[in-house]
Amino acid sequence: MDSAAGQILYPLHRCKTVHLVRHAQGVHNVAGEKNHDEYMSYDYFDAHLTPLGWNQVDNLRKHVKATGLSKTVELVVVSPLLRTMQTAVGVFGGEVYTDGISEQPLMMENVGHSDHLAVSSLNCPPFIAVELCREQIGVHPCDKRRTISEYRNMFPAIDFSLIENEEDILWKPDVREKVEAVSARGLKFLEWLWTRKEKEIAIVTHSSFLFNTLRAFGNDCHPNIKSEIRKHFTNCELRSMVIIDRGMIGSSESTTNFPGKIPRGPDVPSEAAD
């Protein structure tokens, strides 16, 4: 701690605000809660949201609008799985897409058996899919993604350019990613965030990814704050945090600092004067 009160002071331009969101309820969540073995079933390959999940999305969307986050978020980063992209688009996307709009829709109609109308990409932040924030990979078919071509047809306005492989080469049917590897991937993801110019970013991802990433933080905090950082996310929970670039990984120059002495002149501090 830098002070007895446990406070810390840091330059604003070395900070980012992140709004962490776990996806809404998926069909695999319902099945897995009844019987954990269901996570092994290919019936839940790249699981989509349930009707209850879409209700959760609608409620979070109302909250995001009521709090003003819909106007301050500059970028939405999303895991390239169906349930996260449905959640991200439903919460942070535009209004219902109608014929005659020149821009591509964020999501086509009825994606993932949702009976959901198409969503416009107008008047909302850009969306980018990033594999670093995927769920713990392997063994569970619900965590295996489709081809990028399929996703581009479903979500035309999401940017998939950072995903190198058309097929999901990361997912293995007999090897589950170790939690230590998920944590390391999460820290690498946070480093990647510092390559972005945006200062306020929403991230729509998964329970295990969030838990295993955030458990690396909070050791220098009050126990209550540590618990607040590390506790498991519920479906469609949003938690806002500030991340600090203490290692100068990639923070930009300040846009609000002012150098002073314009015009120049004597400025000896009063305590230094005779």
Side-chain angles (χ1 to χ4, degrees):
M1 293 294 181
D2 288 351
S3 72
Q7 298 167 340
I8 186 169
L9 191 67
Y10 228 77
L12 179 63
H13 67 284
R14 302 202 186 280
C15 303
K16 287 184 190 290
T17 300
V18 292
H19 304 288
L20 305 174
V21 180
R22 181 191 173 193
H23 64 81
Q25 185 193 69
V27 291
H28 67 305
N29 294 134
V30 177
E33 188 170 335
K34 296 176 181 176
N35 180 359
H36 193 270
D37 291 342
E38 288 295 309
Y39 286 118
M40 305 291 289
S41 172
Y42 277 84
D43 290 343
Y44 305 108
F45 162 68
D46 192 20
H48 58 81
L49 298 186
T50 65
L52 177 63
W54 278 108
N55 287 338
Q56 294 170 342
V57 166
D58 290 341
N59 284 328
L60 180 54
R61 181 181 180 86
K62 292 174 185 175
H63 170 79
V64 162
K65 286 186 171 295
T67 57
L69 289 184
S70 58
K71 295 182 179 180
T72 59
V73 168
E74 301 169 75
L75 177 71
V76 179
V77 178
V78 60
S79 159
L81 288 171
L82 183 54
R83 60 191 181 271
T84 39
M85 290 189 286
Q86 287 178 313
T87 301
V89 168
V91 172
F92 297 103
E95 302 301 328
V96 173
Y97 181 86
T98 56
D99 291 338
I101 296 177
S102 59
E103 301 294 329
Q104 289 186 316
L106 269 174
M107 184 178 75
M108 302 299 289
E109 185 176 1
N110 197 32
V111 163
H113 312 289
S114 64
D115 293 326
H116 199 286
L117 296 173
V119 175
S120 170
S121 60
L122 295 177
N123 301 314
C124 65
F127 285 62
I128 188 166
V130 177
E131 290 217 277
L132 279 173
C133 65
R134 279 179 63 172
E135 182 57 301
Q136 188 173 2
I137 301 170
V139 179
H140 297 170
C142 57
D143 300 327
K144 178 176 171 60
R145 72 164 172 80
R146 301 166 195 258
T147 65
I148 296 304
S149 295
E150 288 179 271
Y151 285 146
R152 283 197 169 108
N153 289 331
M154 296 176 177
F155 302 95
I158 292 182
D159 181 356
F160 293 97
S161 63
L162 293 182
I163 299 180
E164 297 179 355
N165 297 288
E166 168 76 1
E167 303 287 340
D168 186 0
I169 65 170
L170 300 175
W171 188 91
K172 308 295 182 186
D174 55 350
V175 179
R176 185 74 168 161
E177 187 179 19
K178 295 184 183 301
V179 294
E180 295 80 8
V182 180
S183 296
R185 177 160 58 86
L187 295 179
K188 186 176 181 181
F189 170 74
L190 294 179
E191 289 185 6
W192 172 81
L193 283 182
W194 285 109
T195 69
R196 303 292 311 189
K197 67 180 185 301
E198 298 87 358
K199 292 297 186 182
E200 188 161 352
I201 301 173
I203 299 154
V204 184
T205 180
H206 307 266
S207 175
S208 181
F209 175 80
L210 286 165
F211 178 76
N212 286 295
T213 299
L214 296 177
R215 69 191 181 102
F217 298 92
N219 289 321
D220 56 350
C221 298
H222 186 282
N224 289 354
I225 297 176
K226 179 179 178 178
S227 176
E228 185 179 352
I229 292 171
R230 294 185 175 190
K231 66 182 179 180
H232 283 279
F233 278 65
T234 59
N235 282 127
C236 221
E237 179 180 354
L238 181 151
R239 210 177 294 171
S240 300
M241 300 188 185
V242 174
I243 57 174
I244 297 172
D245 184 16
R246 292 193 291 187
M248 296 187 66
I249 296 170
S251 50
S252 59
E253 293 297 319
S254 173
T255 59
T256 57
N257 287 357
F258 188 74
K261 300 190 79 169
I262 300 175
R264 299 181 66 85
D267 62 354
V268 177
S270 59
E271 65 270 19
D274 293 333

